[in-house]
Every structure is written in structure tokens, then in C-alpha cells.
Amino acid sequence: MATRRSRIPSNSIPQALCPDPIINLAQLAAVKAREAAEAYFTLQHFDCAIMQARAAKELYPEFPGMDNYMAAYQIHSAVSHKKNWYHVLGIPNPAVADSEVIKKQYKRLALALHPDKNGSIAADGAFKYVKAAWDVLSNRAKREAYDKSLSPRSQGARGSNNSKPAQQQRSNACSRKRAGPDANSTGGDGSFYKKTIKIVRKSNPGQRATVVMLSVCRVA
């Protein structure tokens, strides 16, 4: 007798389903959140991609690789907001970044973005940015010249705060849609959809009920 194959790809579920239907639903919701994160990345909504990746991890903490997905999105977000190479490597304060700190951050990100550790479509581009940052900051002469260029560049960035980058505007638009009065809403252009589901699992007498709130987002 022929067996029926599953219509769900084997790599779309983090691990084998367990007997608890609430955990199973959380796993599937985490997969959907990861797919939404990748879709947002392709639209260059990097901050929204980060939020969806974070949601996937919160829904199912054992979901493998979500920290690496977020690292890739954060690097693209830093570049799109014209942050310096230190920020790209995850170093917010250049003044305390010695050569060992820079080397440690580069190795950490290079490992997180390796194809064997990161299945996101954002990983390859993120690694190129990390490599470019390393090429500058690991070379003493290049780093000194780059550090001298940061001060006037930062002043120019502060003087142009009234002009928001296109990516920041897209991120704000995403936030406004998520915070709209209708939780189950579609943007005017039909590009965003969110639905929140409340699931209450009945408990045995004397036990506390389990409540799970799931927010499902879809990009058209």
C-alpha cells in the first residue's frame, strides 16, 4: 500500500512535532514568522524583518538559527541607516574598541553568517559588509584615516536629521500598520496583513489554564 507524502517541506518545521498541540502551533507560527522576516528583507524592510525574526524566537525559543538571522538583518539595517563600520561589527563605541575587540566581533559574525550556520537570504550580503568593515578596521593605517573621517561625517548626519532615510520611512510605515486600531487589518496598498489569535487550552481541575497569543503577519 502506497504511503501518502506530507505536503509540508521537511525543513520548514524546526523539529518533530510533540504530543502537545499548543507547542505544535507555536512551532508552526515560528516558521511563519521566519518566512515573514525573509519576505520583509526582500522588500528592504530590515527593521520589520528583525521584529519578525525576534517573534519567531519568542514563539519557539528552541527554533535553531534565529539569532543568526537577526544578526544578518541588523547588519543590513546598520548599512541602510548609514552607520559606521564599528556599528556594522556590533561595536557601538569606537573609543573602547581595541584590535582584540574588533577581531573578536569579526570572528563571531563571520561564524554566524556562514552558510552552514545561517540559512537566511540576507547572510551573504551581510558577510560582505562585515568583511569590508574588517578590511578597514583591522589595518592600522586605514583605521586611523577612517577614524579621522568619522567626526565630520557624524556632524553632517546630525545636520540632516530632518531628512529621514527611505528605509526609516518604510520602517515607520510598518510600525504604524502594526499599531493600527484594527488588529486584523490590511494596509491601503494591500502589502501588510496581521491577525492575532488567542488560544486557551483547558486544564484539568486544580491546574492553571495555558493561554497563547499568536500574531501572524503576511506580506502580499
Side-chain angles (χ1 to χ4, degrees):
M1 180 177 179
T3 57
R4 182 180 298 177
R5 292 185 177 180
S6 172
R7 298 178 62 183
I8 302 176
S10 60
N11 62 350
S12 52
I13 299 179
Q15 65 179 35
L17 296 178
C18 73
D20 191 331
I22 298 298
I23 296 179
N24 291 344
L25 187 58
Q27 290 179 354
L28 295 175
V31 171
K32 292 299 182 183
R34 181 186 64 182
E35 293 173 352
E38 293 285 87
Y40 274 125
F41 172 77
T42 60
L43 296 174
Q44 298 187 8
H45 291 288
F46 303 130
D47 293 340
C48 292
I50 294 170
M51 287 188 290
Q52 288 295 325
R54 186 176 292 115
K57 184 177 179 181
E58 290 175 354
L59 285 164
Y60 190 66
E62 291 78 15
F63 202 171
M66 292 317 303
D67 286 332
N68 294 344
Y69 274 60
M70 279 189 280
Y73 300 146
Q74 287 166 350
I75 291 169
H76 282 277
S77 179
V79 173
S80 71
H81 288 90
K82 301 187 184 303
K83 300 291 185 180
N84 59 51
W85 287 133
Y86 292 98
H87 281 89
V88 170
L89 290 183
I91 304 173
N93 187 2
V96 297
D98 57 23
S99 58
E100 288 300 318
V101 171
I102 294 172
K103 183 177 181 180
K104 181 179 178 180
Q105 285 296 100
Y106 169 73
K107 287 186 174 181
R108 180 183 70 82
L109 290 173
L111 179 62
L113 299 172
H114 192 276
D116 291 341
K117 300 288 185 178
N118 197 323
S120 172
I121 56 178
D124 185 58
F127 177 76
K128 292 179 181 178
Y129 289 132
V130 168
K131 183 64 166 59
W134 169 252
D135 289 342
V136 172
L137 300 182
S138 63
N139 183 288
R140 182 174 180 179
K142 289 182 180 180
R143 182 183 176 187
E144 289 178 354
Y146 181 70
D147 288 347
K148 291 179 181 179
S149 71
L150 286 180
S151 180
R153 182 180 302 177
S154 299
Q155 292 176 0
R158 286 196 296 268
S160 60
N161 282 342
N162 292 332
S163 175
K164 293 184 179 180
Q167 171 57 30
Q168 185 175 349
Q169 294 175 0
R170 288 193 294 268
S171 175
N172 291 341
C174 173
S175 300
R176 286 195 298 271
K177 290 174 183 177
R178 294 179 73 252
D182 185 2
N184 303 330
S185 60
T186 304
D189 58 354
S191 60
F192 181 83
Y193 176 81
K194 176 182 177 182
K195 186 173 183 179
T196 302
I197 305 172
K198 181 178 181 180
I199 302 172
V200 180
R201 182 175 60 178
K202 295 183 178 179
S203 59
N204 296 326
Q207 294 182 347
R208 297 177 61 183
T210 302
V211 179
V212 177
M213 298 294 293
L214 301 178
S215 294
V216 181
C217 298
R218 176 174 63 82
V219 179

